[in-house]
Amino acid sequence: MMLCVTTLLALGHASAFVAPSGLHAPQTRVRESFGFDFAESQAENTDFAILGERRLKEEFIRSYKPTATVLEGKPYPLFQEVQAKKLLSATVDAGVLGTLGDLGLGLADVEKLLPLVDESGILALVARNLPLAIIATGYLLVEPAPFLLPVLGTLLKVPSAVWTALAAAATAGEVYLVGFTDDSGLAAVLLLP
């Protein structure tokens, strides 16, 4: 008799851990329209090859160009491009180094910044993301450098009084437009400098 009671108690406690068969978790269907009736159906106006984020990234982009993603494929040849574009000579020819020296910024000033860069952890961040850092440096600095270095050399030679006057004029225009007019269309243009 005691054996039957313990068996029934054990089975009763064990059934407490089994989910009832009639209850199921609700099925949530995720849609790009967020379930709104007024939203467009993506399936109607989007090519099936690019419909959905996974299909776009994993299938379409790789089928179009296998090295299209930023960190895959052949790495950016940073030093070869600097040498091929003769950027060091272009920096000297544009007068960037001479102008910076005339403005009082020399290698000794850059040397003072090195401990700050080391303490801030920027080098560790770059080391963890080295492929991205090389690609970003290559495409954002090295590629446009032949066009930007002469412009930078010219802009550095502009006296500081001109930059101060430009900043004052932009500030005065912004104060006027924000404070005295209701049209904010031109205010965005003055926010650029």
Side-chain angles (χ1 to χ4, degrees):
M1 173 79 168
M2 187 61 145
L3 182 62
C4 284
V5 171
T6 52
T7 306
L8 286 174
L9 285 175
L11 289 176
H13 290 292
S15 66
F17 297 111
V18 178
S21 61
L23 298 176
H24 293 288
Q27 295 291 329
T28 304
R29 184 175 178 145
V30 179
R31 293 177 284 189
E32 291 187 13
S33 66
F34 300 104
F36 293 120
D37 295 333
F38 59 85
E40 296 178 343
S41 171
Q42 296 292 321
E44 292 176 10
N45 62 6
T46 306
D47 185 20
F48 183 75
I50 62 172
L51 185 62
E53 184 177 0
R54 184 201 57 79
R55 188 178 296 124
L56 173 69
K57 289 180 178 178
E58 294 178 7
E59 296 174 12
F60 177 74
I61 291 177
R62 288 197 177 130
S63 69
Y64 178 72
K65 185 176 179 187
T67 60
T69 54
V70 174
L71 298 178
E72 294 177 1
K74 192 171 127 184
Y76 184 83
L78 184 67
F79 296 110
Q80 292 87 344
E81 288 296 317
V82 168
Q83 185 178 11
K85 294 179 185 322
K86 299 183 180 181
L87 293 184
L88 300 179
S89 300
T91 304
V92 172
D93 294 341
V96 172
L97 298 177
T99 306
L100 287 174
D102 294 342
L103 293 173
L105 182 65
L107 291 179
D109 297 320
V110 174
E111 188 177 355
K112 292 176 188 174
L113 295 175
L114 293 179
L116 295 173
V117 170
D118 195 27
E119 292 170 4
S120 68
I122 293 174
L123 293 178
L125 178 68
V126 170
R128 284 193 305 269
N129 300 301
L130 191 58
L132 181 61
I134 290 174
I135 289 170
T137 302
Y139 289 112
L140 296 177
L141 295 176
V142 174
E143 290 296 323
F147 308 107
L148 295 181
L149 282 172
V151 173
L152 179 63
T154 304
L155 291 177
L156 285 173
K157 292 177 185 173
V158 174
S160 61
V162 173
W163 295 114
T164 304
L166 181 64
T171 302
E174 183 176 340
V175 166
Y176 172 74
L177 285 175
V178 171
F180 301 109
T181 65
D182 292 333
D183 184 26
S184 62
L186 191 57
V189 174
L190 291 176
L191 288 175
L192 293 177

